């Protein structure tokens, strides 16, 4: 590779970094002040691209029209962001972060269906920027003029934000509110207005990023999820709330990817080769992992204060009473009879298998979320790893199906072993974002590693052995496995390990003081949850006969959260009841209703807004040191 | 305008299930310094926060300059000219001293006769707090505890308040700073700012305040002049001394 080629590749990387920065800066800004991780940020980015497309179609022919369209699109998205703040977020500033994440996720679901309804499912590629369609010649290589413009815009926005934050009263108020919102209010500043304006600015930046990316990448209804994954990684690496940090992280990640491409495939001695371009898939992950090990609070972030328990203490878990045990046994017996009553191949049996899988998935998530107090937004990763592990063991390694299924916990467990090691070093919302980022990374690796995973086509022909092939037999298998696992998880929660886990949730400081190795306990909990979840994934794979990257999608992680919340975070029966009712409900709605995503979004919003203090207890944040 | 600048009637407040205040009555007149006294946990800070609207669960009638403020948000109360200085030195530690002052800045207020009152400016405040002048571009988090305490007071003054709720200014600062605090309070009083001061330290309170209320378990147990309080050993022993 020549020096000129490398230079152009690096400049390309800078252009990518600019896009990443525009996307992430708003997220970081919003988080800094509101402490809300805006899950809908990727949706705002997507909206920017789509709105820009529509405006460009009309007036994008001239340079003035092009840049005017981009600006108008960004302003429109800014206005939408302000609206979202006023309608939804304003009501949930004092609720637990889990609810805030869910609410913003609900918004993203609604936006996605709105985009599909307005712009359809086709990819839309924007026009080239008039006057910037050419390329700049650098030592014989060509850099698109538009990329050069993007680099410039990134730097200008960084400088503009810096001036805004340090030289204006608004910026000073914003930085003050980042540190102590209530005190700013007591000094006569209208916080609500400040929040709305921050959201507006953050949304504007996301919209600008989306609009500017349109000539480079087509808009489709999937970019919201990839965008939010990228933005989370950038913000975590740069340090939550730090604008220069976001810039630095964006440059770092984009340049490492550019370098991987520039290096190409390098031949090593002994006939080995390293294909560096493949590393672009995991570059973000590696950067994030390294940064989090060395500086858990990000490159330019601040160490987080020890988590202060926000609400009244959780009530202790009660072992099942006599009545509960009878009820559970009765339900189990009734389920045993179901194939006889409903017919062996009926739809009820198929739905029931889905529910068993869902119950195990939700119960494993609940294990780390409720008693463990660690909110995982990437639980689908372990589900998918379990599913892919068993499918690959069957198809690629040629193991018999029962063995492949039995080994599926290994897939989820090993994933949790690796990711958990990083996750337990963080807490609260940082942990949630990291789990989400890991989930996205697994998803993107599976999606892009065609040779092994079949890419977006997935793996087909994942069927159970002949003796398990009938729906009825598989129903019994799923029922027994699911019931046994739920009981095992219960048993673990009432073991000394379970007590220790709950102690770490209630106060990590006090737990350490009495000799509990908090990180180790939490790490083990992660692995246990991952293993059970992997088994759920294995059951899922053999029940469907095929799997695709959708198995690992973020929406599955969120489904799990909704199941757990629906049932109640601090109740042991919660995930079971929550999963069952969620899946029945989804089955009923999704079958007849095109916009079921938006419907789910509205359901989540109602759940969150109607019970602003949380379903489980009237958790309320009070003035600090109240 | 009535005699009382700030009047509180039957104020109650609770944190979740725990009721902290059980019907507080108190008054602050224009230009006076009143001490709200009592032991740790008696409800002094809670009273000030409840007046300022910083607690959701409060009830009672609070009137400030003839306006009912019992249902207003903290920022609205601050804009009416009631300042609040928290006990735990909540400076914005990443911001410079000047930026901290900027957060507190509100427009100048008018007198009863409609003339603008000379507003507080950083320069005027630096005369009152010379230590701050030397550190004006320093991050607030890098200053000593006493300097931070002064900064919180100065920051609230930037809002040109008619009255200030001052929470435990003498707590946890060096004796030399305590003296400076007393001088500062007296200077403020002579400039016409009324102060409701929560305080445990009777000698300090008697340096600056003429009247005192004593709180015990969320109720007012004594109300009267501070000189009388100094002379009444029985009350002191019952409610103040440890």
């Amino acid at each position: 590779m020549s020096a000129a080629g490398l230079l152009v590749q690096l400049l390309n990387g800078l252009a990518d970094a600019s896009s990443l920065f525009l996307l992430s800066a708003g997220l970081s800004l919003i988080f800094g002040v509101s402490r809300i991780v805006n899950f809908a940020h990727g949706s705002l980015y997507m909206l920017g691209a789509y709105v820009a497309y529509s405006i460009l179609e009309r007036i994008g022919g001239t340079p003035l029209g092009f840049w005017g369209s981009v600006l108008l699109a960004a302003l429109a998205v800014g206005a939408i962001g302000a609206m979202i703040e006023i309608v939804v977020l304003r009501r949930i500033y004092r609720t637990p972060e889990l609810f805030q994440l869910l609410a913003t996720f609900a918004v993203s679901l609604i936006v996605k269906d709105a985009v599909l309804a307005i712009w359809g499912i086709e990819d839309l590629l924007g026009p080239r920027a008039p006057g910037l369609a050419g390329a700049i010649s650098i030592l014989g290589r060509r850099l698109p003029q538009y990329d050069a413009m993007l680099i410039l815009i990134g730097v200008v926005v960084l400088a503009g934000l810096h001036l805004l934050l340090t030289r204006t009263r608004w910026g000073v108020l914003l930085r003050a509110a980042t540190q102590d919102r209530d005190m700013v209010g007591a000094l006569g500043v209208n916080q609500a207005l400040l929040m709305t304006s921050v959201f507006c600015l953050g949304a504007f930046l996301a919209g600008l990023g989306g609009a500017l990316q349109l000539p480079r990448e087509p808009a489709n209804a999937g970019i919201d999820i990839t965008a939010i994954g990228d933005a989370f990684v950038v913000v975590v690496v740069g340090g939550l709330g730090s604008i220069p940090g976001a810039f630095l992280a964006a440059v770092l990640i984009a340049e490492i990817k550019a370098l991987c491409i520039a290096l190409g495939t390098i031949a090593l001695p002994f006939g080995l080769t390293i294909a560096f371009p493949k590393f672009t898939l995991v570059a973000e992950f590696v950067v994030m992992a390294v940064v989090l090990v060395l500086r858990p609070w990000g490159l330019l972030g601040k160490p987080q204060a020890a988590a202060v328990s926000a609400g009244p203490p959780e009530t202790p878990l009660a072992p099942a009473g006599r009545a509960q045990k009878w009820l559970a046994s009765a339900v189990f017996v009734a389920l045993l009879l179901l194939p006889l009553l409903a017919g062996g191949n009926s739809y009820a049996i198929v739905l029931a298998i889905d529910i068993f899988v869902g119950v195990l998935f939700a119960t494993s998530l609940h294990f780390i979320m409720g008693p463990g107090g660690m909110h995982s937004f990437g639980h689908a990763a372990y589900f998918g790893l379990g599913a892919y592990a068993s499918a690959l063991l069957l198809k690629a390694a040629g193991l018999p199906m029962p063995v492949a299924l039995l080994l599926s916990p290994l897939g989820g467990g090993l994933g949790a072993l690796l990711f958990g090691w990083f996750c337990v070093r963080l807490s609260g919302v940082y942990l949630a974002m990291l789990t989400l980022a890991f989930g996205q990374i697994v998803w993107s690796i599976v999606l892009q590693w065609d040779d092994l995973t079949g890419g977006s086509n997935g793996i087909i022909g994942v069927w159970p052995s002949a003796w398990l092939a009938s729906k009825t037999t598989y129903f019994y298998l799923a029922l027994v496995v699911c019931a046994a696992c739920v009981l095992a998880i219960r048993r673990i929660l009432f073991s000394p390990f379970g007590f220790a886990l709950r102690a770490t949730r209630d106060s990590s400081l006090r737990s350490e003081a009495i000799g509990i190795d908090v990180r180790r306990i939490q790490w083990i909990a992660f692995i246990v949850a991952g293993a059970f979840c992997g088994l759920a994934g294995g059951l899922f794979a053999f029940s469907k006969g095929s799997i695709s990257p959708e198995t690992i999608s973020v929406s599955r992680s969120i489904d799990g959260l909704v199941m757990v919340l629906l049932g109640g975070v601090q109740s042991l029966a919660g995930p079971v009841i929550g999963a069952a009712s969620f899946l029945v409900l989804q089955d009923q709605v999704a079958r007849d209703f095109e916009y079921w995503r938006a419907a789910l979004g509205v359901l989540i919003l109602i759940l969150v807004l109607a019970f602003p203090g949380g379903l489980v207890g009237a958790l309320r944040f009070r003035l600090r040191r109240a | 305008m009535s005699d009382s600048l700030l009047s509180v009637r039957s104020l109650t407040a609770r944190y979740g299930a725990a009721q902290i205040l059980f019907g507080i009555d108190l008054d602050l007149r224009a230009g006076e310094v009143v001490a709200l006294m009592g032991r740790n946990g008696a409800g002094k800070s809670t009273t000030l926060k409840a007046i300022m609207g910083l607690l959701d669960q409060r009830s009672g009638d609070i009137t400030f300059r003839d306006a009912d403020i019992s249902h207003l948000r903290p920022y609205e109360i601050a804009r009416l000219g009631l300042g609040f200085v928290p006990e735990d030195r909540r400076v914005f530690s990443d911001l410079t001293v000047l930026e901290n002052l900027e957060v507190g800045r509100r427009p100048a207020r008018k007198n009863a006769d409609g003339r603008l009152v000379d507003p507080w400016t950083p320069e005027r405040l630096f005369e009152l707090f010379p230590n701050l002048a030397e550190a004006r571009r320093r991050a607030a988090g890098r200053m000593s505890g006493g300097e931070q305490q002064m900064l919180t007071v100065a920051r609230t003054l930037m809002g040109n308040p008619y009255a200030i709720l001052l929470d435990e200014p003498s707590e946890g600062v060096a004796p030399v700073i305590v003296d400076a605090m007393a001088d500062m309070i007296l200077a403020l009083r002579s400039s016409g700012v009324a102060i409701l001061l929560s305080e445990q330290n009777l000698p300090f309170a008697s340096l600056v305040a003429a009247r005192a209320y004593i709180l015990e378990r969320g109720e007012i147990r004594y109300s009267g002049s501070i000189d009388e309080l100094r002379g009444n050993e029985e009350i002191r022993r019952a409610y103040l001394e440890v």
Side-chain angles (χ1 to χ4, degrees), chain A residues 128 255 298 302 349 463 505:
Chain A
R128 295 283 188 86
E255 288 303 352
K302 293 225 169 57
I349 296 296
W463 291 112
R505 170 198 67 193

Side-chain angles (χ1 to χ4, degrees), chain A residues 231-250:
Chain A
F232 276 12
V233 171
V234 168
V235 168
V236 167
V237 168
L240 279 167
S242 165
I243 298 294
F247 189 80
L248 190 62

Side-chain angles (χ1 to χ4, degrees), chain A residues 157-176:
Chain A
V157 168
L158 174 67
L161 281 177
H162 178 76
L163 289 178
L164 185 68
L165 287 175
T166 53
R167 297 294 164 81
T168 66
R169 174 169 168 85
W170 188 82
V172 171
L173 294 183
L174 191 76
R175 282 158 56 219

Side-chain angles (χ1 to χ4, degrees), chain A residues 183 187, chain B residues 84-86 88-91 132 147-157 166 181:
Chain A
M183 194 60 231
L187 289 168
Chain B
F84 172 71
V85 180
D88 34 5
R89 298 178 210 138
R90 284 157 63 176
V91 295
L132 297 184
E147 288 167 335
Q148 291 188 12
Q149 187 76 287
M150 291 177 182
L151 180 57
T152 55
V153 177
R155 188 179 61 183
T156 299
L157 286 173
L166 186 54
M181 281 288 163

Side-chain angles (χ1 to χ4, degrees), chain A residues 142-164:
Chain A
R142 293 163 63 80
L143 176 75
Q145 287 175 337
Y146 191 73
D147 283 14
M149 189 66 184
L150 266 188
I151 298 174
L152 185 69
I153 291 174
V155 174
V156 167
V157 168
L158 174 67
L161 281 177
H162 178 76
L163 289 178
L164 185 68

